[in-house]
Every structure is written in C-alpha cells, then in structure tokens.
Amino acid sequence: QEVLGEDKLMAILKERELKIYWGTATTGKPHVAYFVPMSKIADFLKAGCEVTILFADLHAYLDNMKAPWELLELRTRYYEHVIKAMLESIGVPLEKLKFVRGTDYQLSKEYTLDVYRLSSVVTQHDAKKAGAEVVKQVEHPLLSGLLYPGLQALDEEYLKVDAQFGGVDQRKIFTFAEKYLPSLGYAKRVHLMNPMVPGLTGSKMSSSEEDSKIDLLDRKEDVKKKLKKAFCEPGNVENNGVLSFIKHVLFPLKSEFVVLREEKWGGNKTYTAYEALEKDFAEQVVHPGDLKNSVEVALNKLLDPIREKFNCPELKKLSSAAYPTPSKAKPAEKGTKNSEPEDVVPSRLDIRVGKVISVEKHPDADSLYVEKIDVGEAEPRTVVSGLVHFVPKEQLQDRLVVLLCNLKPQKMRGVESQGMVLCASSVGEPRQVEPLDPPAGCCAGERVYVEGYEAGEPDDELKPKKKVFEKLQADFRISEDCVAQWKQRNFLTKLGTVSCKSLKGGSIS
C-alpha cells in the first residue's frame, strides 16, 4: 500500500538483491488476515529477496496487552509452527526463509547498550506517538510500551536488513526508526507496508475481537457460523468485511475468485478482477448469501492443510497450552469430590459498543423502552430497558451505548430482550441513571473489555444459574474520574476508556 524510501530501494536493487524482514509479536492467535503478509512474503521470495521472519517474543512481553512471560515460549513455538503451515499452504518454499526469535539476540550486551543509548535521545512524546497504533493504549501507560518502538527500530540494524515490511498500522514506528537510527550512527532503512484487512464486523481484524476474525484452526462449522454473522448488507461495499477479505486475501493468492451459485440464479461466475466483483455486488447482481458461501469454500481450501498439520497430538497439546481458555472450569481430578471452581473473569462477558437505531415506549409497560440497537451484526438487536423515568427518549436516539450481548434472551412484558444497556447509577436518593459512554469515534460492534482481560473469549451465552454476570457486577464501580471499572481496572475499547457523564462513585447495572 505504501513505500517509504523508494529511491534507496531502487539503488540497492541495481547492485544486489534486497534483504528484508517481517516481524510478528507472539501474542494473540494468528488469524486469516495473516495471509496478506504471507502472500507478499511469497512475492518477495519470487523476486529474489532474502527474507527473515522474526518471532518477536520480547516485544510481545513489552506490549502490555496480553502475553505473560511464562506463556511466551509456548506461544512463540505455536507461532513458528502455524506461520510455517500457512506458508506451506500457499506454496512458499521454507528453505529460502530465515526464522529468528527476538530473544536470540535482543538480550545480548551490545543490543542492551543500544537500547540505553536510544533511550537517552528519544523523547517520551515520540515513543508514545510511535506505538499509538500497535502498543495497547491505556490511561496510565507502562514504561515497557514506550520501549517497544525503540526495540523494533534496533531490530533493523541487528538483523542486518535493508528494509522492514509490515502493515500500515506500523507506519509511526517506521518513521520513528527513520528518525532515530541515524542518531546512533546506523543507516535509515526502507519501509514497505501492506493494507490492514477489515474484520468481519467491518473494523480492523483483531485477535482480541473474537467475532471480527477467523482463526487458522477454526473448525469448518465455526467458519460457517462466523461468516453467517458477518456484516454484508446487499449492495453495500463500505465496511464490508466479506468483500474486503476477498480483495485483500483471496484475490492476491489466486488472482481470481469464483462466486458459487445455483443455475437458477445464473450459475457459477469467475472474476479475474476484484473491481468487477465489487461492481456486481454494488448493483446486487451478486447476493450476500452466495458471496459468503463462496468465501467459505475458498477459505476452507486454504485452512485444510493447516488444520491437518495441527491435528497431531503434539501440536494439539501445544495449541491448548499456549492459549488456555480462561472461561472453562477445569475438570475434576480422579479421587476428588468437586471440580476446580469456575473462573469468573470479565473476559467471559460479551460487551460491545452499540448504536441506538430506534427508541419506542413499551406497549405494555410505562417504565420500559424498546430499542433497536446495532452491535455490528447483520440485524439490530431488540433490547428492553427500564430507562423511561431516567433518560429522555431523544437522548437515547442515535447515541452510542455499551451493551452486554451474551445474557440469555428473556421476555419482558411480552417483548424478548436480546441484551442489556449498561448504565451508571447514583448511590443516594433520588436515584440517577446515565448510560455508559464509549469513547468518541467507536463503531457499532467494537468490543469493550476490562484492562488486563483482553485475551479471553466470552461465553456464547451466560447460564442464569451460574450467575457469572451478577458475581462480576458486584465489583463494577464508577471511579472519581467517572471511568467505568471492575476492581479498579478500567473498561476499555481500542480507542480508550468507557465513562459516564457525572455519577462519581456510582454502581453499574
């Protein structure tokens, strides 16, 4: 999508082949969007480049997002196996690649001294700005997150490459490296960037947003389920995660895409240019159902060799150890009466940003509203809320709210409610209620999580008898800064903290 330093690139190519590296921090599970850089790595190899793949285990630890130190070794091994399986799936010869772990050289005396040298010239402002798109942004950032961009810059020197390749979300780190490496006497490198693939919900495909991504080891039924829920409105080519996936993943790999459909709807059609497919979809010549089914078939062909490789006991064990499911209770050991207590953690809650599409009074209850709320799914959810006496109808219409999405649907005076709008409540009388506010700029469907619990996957549906929400809710509070918290950990989206307008010290329900 973009190249920084093209003149230097051309000058190198007049003398020899390019040395280039691509790095990945070993945190969340790699998902299907990783096929975008993999297909470009295949292009680099065909062009004669020397390519190094860096498994950035130390970077993973410094990013205060997900990976505790004890899991890093397991996750790095998982990444190595799964990235190699992806490359084999698209026919890339592994013998032409060099694989390196960050800790192979980042703990050396020379590298460590360069980290200190760099920290003596980099401003806090520049370090924070450089990591803004990559390092987890929180209200009180850790020093580790500020070190992250400097280490990535130094990697270019210590891997002895001419260029670094990454997504456009890395651009600020790349320009940081161009600014600061020369201050240590090291050469400025070339930087090449691929586009970021929108997820199935329309926003960036992310490891921490379960519904936005398809994992490389997802079962065929999981792929079908996620594609069925994906946003793909007839004729709408904007923020269409399914079309974007075809454009950025399937077309580059195969140079064509086949829409599969019954003869009565025109039969199969092969597209050799993405623009022609997008035009037919915009004109509703191609139906969303046919598009999703065709993506499902094409995607499973890519994923089958990876699933097969990970079907052996050794890699199954590695996968479950590297990414344990926090929401599952451990089975009882033989000879014990009870199983381990169930893990009641905030990541079990499916909380999302919602946009209120419509608000009406409940036909049979004076205190209840019936709202239609967009949470990034194919259809808006119907939600019943007891807010009539607290929030005027016009203040709810078209506003962003925070919605708990995995409660068991229940009828409220004859209308089934498919979620709960989370609100701050005052402690004293008279009671005041304010819906929680996501950060400005959020999109419907974005995940809301509790700081430190980003990696866990929510339950499909919370079982009423388990009272998971009620147990967690007991520790929900509004801080003195009006920020929503669980045990003094902030509610967050990728754009910042969730808050309310004025109810300091209140509860959340």
Side-chain angles (χ1 to χ4, degrees):
Q1 181 165 322
E2 186 178 3
V3 179
L4 301 176
E6 190 166 355
D7 290 345
K8 184 170 184 175
L9 173 70
M10 301 310 290
I12 292 168
L13 289 173
K14 286 177 181 176
E15 298 179 7
R16 57 177 172 79
E17 301 297 357
L18 193 74
K19 296 178 181 177
I20 188 167
Y21 101 87
W22 175 79
T24 180
T26 52
T27 50
K29 274 187 176 180
H31 45 71
V32 291
Y34 277 59
F35 275 116
V36 175
M38 294 304 108
S39 64
K40 187 52 61 177
I41 285 169
D43 288 346
F44 290 142
L45 289 171
K46 287 173 191 171
C49 299
E50 293 181 29
V51 182
T52 298
I53 290 181
L54 171 67
F55 297 113
D57 47 359
L58 193 55
H59 291 71
Y61 184 66
L62 290 177
D63 182 353
N64 58 10
M65 194 172 180
K66 297 185 184 83
W69 189 259
E70 59 272 12
L71 281 181
L72 279 176
E73 170 60 24
L74 292 168
R75 291 191 176 180
T76 303
R77 283 169 50 203
Y78 176 88
Y79 262 70
E80 191 165 343
H81 283 291
V82 86
I83 294 291
K84 287 178 177 177
M86 287 183 79
L87 291 165
E88 288 171 341
S89 170
I90 60 174
V92 176
L94 299 185
E95 61 272 12
K96 290 187 176 182
L97 286 163
K98 183 179 177 184
F99 295 93
V100 178
R101 293 188 184 203
T103 46
D104 289 346
Y105 64 90
Q106 289 165 347
L107 300 177
S108 69
K109 178 181 176 181
E110 294 77 16
Y111 188 94
T112 304
L113 287 173
D114 271 344
V115 172
Y116 286 128
R117 284 210 296 151
L118 197 59
S119 68
S120 71
V121 294
V122 173
T123 66
Q124 179 184 343
H125 171 269
D126 282 2
K128 187 174 181 181
K129 181 183 174 183
E133 300 292 326
V134 177
V135 179
K136 184 66 196 165
Q137 298 300 295
V138 293
E139 193 172 6
H140 303 291
L142 298 175
L143 180 59
S144 58
L146 299 178
L147 289 172
Y148 189 112
L151 269 68
Q152 188 166 336
L154 287 172
D155 289 340
E156 297 179 348
E157 175 64 25
Y158 279 79
L159 291 171
K160 301 301 177 188
V161 295
D162 307 305
Q164 184 179 174
F165 165 57
V168 291
D169 61 339
Q170 306 268 333
R171 193 182 196 281
K172 290 177 181 176
I173 287 184
F174 292 168
T175 56
F176 172 93
E178 292 186 4
K179 177 179 179 179
Y180 281 107
L181 275 188
S183 69
L184 299 187
Y186 298 141
K188 185 190 293 188
R189 265 62 179 194
V190 178
H191 295 101
L192 305 101
M193 286 161 271
N194 62 260
M196 302 306 295
V197 178
L200 300 177
T201 57
S203 58
K204 171 185 163 184
M205 192 174 289
S206 166
S207 295
S208 60
E209 288 190 52
E210 183 57 30
D211 281 342
S212 82
K213 67 186 175 75
I214 293 173
D215 280 335
L216 297 167
L217 300 182
D218 271 349
R219 300 170 303 166
K220 291 187 177 182
E221 50 266 43
D222 294 326
V223 173
K224 182 183 287 291
K225 181 181 174 184
K226 288 180 179 180
L227 282 171
K228 189 176 181 181
K229 289 168 65 178
F231 178 74
C232 190
E233 188 177 45
N236 186 353
V237 299
E238 299 297 322
N239 295 322
N240 187 321
V242 180
L243 270 179
S244 297
F245 186 76
I246 296 169
K247 179 180 181 180
H248 294 297
V249 177
L250 297 178
F251 253 107
L253 287 173
K254 297 292 184 183
S255 301
E256 66 175 30
F257 182 74
V258 181
V259 173
L260 307 170
R261 56 190 176 189
E262 296 179 31
E263 287 298 328
K264 64 180 178 180
W265 303 119
N268 296 351
K269 183 170 182 181
T270 299
Y271 291 88
T272 55
Y274 170 76
E275 291 72 21
L277 172 62
E278 186 180 274
K279 181 174 181 289
D280 277 2
F281 186 82
E283 295 173 358
Q284 299 192 34
V285 174
V286 175
H287 188 272
D290 293 329
L291 195 72
K292 288 182 178 184
N293 290 338
S294 306
V295 168
E296 182 186 340
V297 171
L299 183 54
N300 279 321
K301 284 182 182 176
L302 284 176
L303 297 182
D304 277 341
I306 304 172
R307 293 184 187 118
E308 187 177 347
K309 183 169 183 178
F310 272 76
N311 202 31
C312 69
E314 180 188 352
L315 292 184
K316 278 184 178 178
K317 184 179 178 182
L318 174 62
S319 181
S320 60
Y323 296 95
T325 307
S327 61
K328 304 297 182 186
K330 295 177 183 177
E333 294 180 14
K334 289 181 180 179
T336 61
K337 186 177 181 180
N338 298 313
S339 64
E340 292 279 343
E342 201 168 27
D343 232 359
V344 180
V345 291
S347 53
R348 294 183 64 178
L349 305 179
D350 181 3
I351 307 176
R352 297 183 227 166
V353 174
K355 183 174 182 181
V356 180
I357 306 299
S358 67
V359 190
E360 301 295 339
K361 282 275 193 75
H362 193 296
D364 298 318
D366 293 338
S367 64
L368 300 178
Y369 285 130
V370 179
E371 304 121 1
K372 293 286 185 183
I373 301 180
D374 177 9
V375 288
E377 297 170 340
E379 300 291 334
R381 292 194 180 206
T382 300
V383 178
V384 180
S385 303
L387 296 174
V388 170
H389 301 314
F390 302 104
V391 185
K393 179 179 172 181
E394 58 272 16
Q395 288 185 17
L396 276 178
Q397 181 67 45
D398 296 324
R399 70 165 286 162
L400 293 179
V401 293
V402 175
L403 196 73
L404 178 61
C405 294
N406 59 343
L407 289 173
K408 184 177 181 180
Q410 59 176 327
K411 286 196 173 180
M412 299 178 71
R413 295 288 187 91
V415 178
E416 184 176 82
S417 182
Q418 300 167 323
M420 177 193 291
V421 176
L422 294 181
C423 299
S425 295
S426 61
V427 178
E429 295 293 337
R431 188 180 176 215
Q432 294 176 275
V433 175
E434 297 174 355
L436 295 183
D437 292 314
C442 283
C443 298
E446 281 186 36
R447 188 177 172 202
V448 177
Y449 50 86
V450 171
E451 188 176 351
Y453 290 88
E454 298 92 330
E457 295 182 8
D459 292 12
D460 289 337
E461 183 177 284
L462 298 170
K463 306 299 180 191
K465 289 183 180 179
K466 301 278 188 181
K467 297 196 178 299
V468 172
F469 174 66
E470 290 80 359
K471 290 173 184 175
L472 291 165
Q473 185 192 13
D475 293 302
F476 285 179
R477 291 287 181 274
I478 302 296
S479 75
E480 291 304 307
D481 299 325
C482 289
V483 173
Q485 296 182 329
W486 175 79
K487 292 187 175 180
Q488 299 183 316
R489 293 173 179 257
N490 294 342
F491 281 58
L492 299 166
T493 73
K494 60 188 177 187
L495 293 181
T497 55
V498 173
S499 59
C500 72
K501 285 186 173 56
S502 64
L503 301 181
K504 299 177 182 179
S507 60
I508 299 172
S509 57

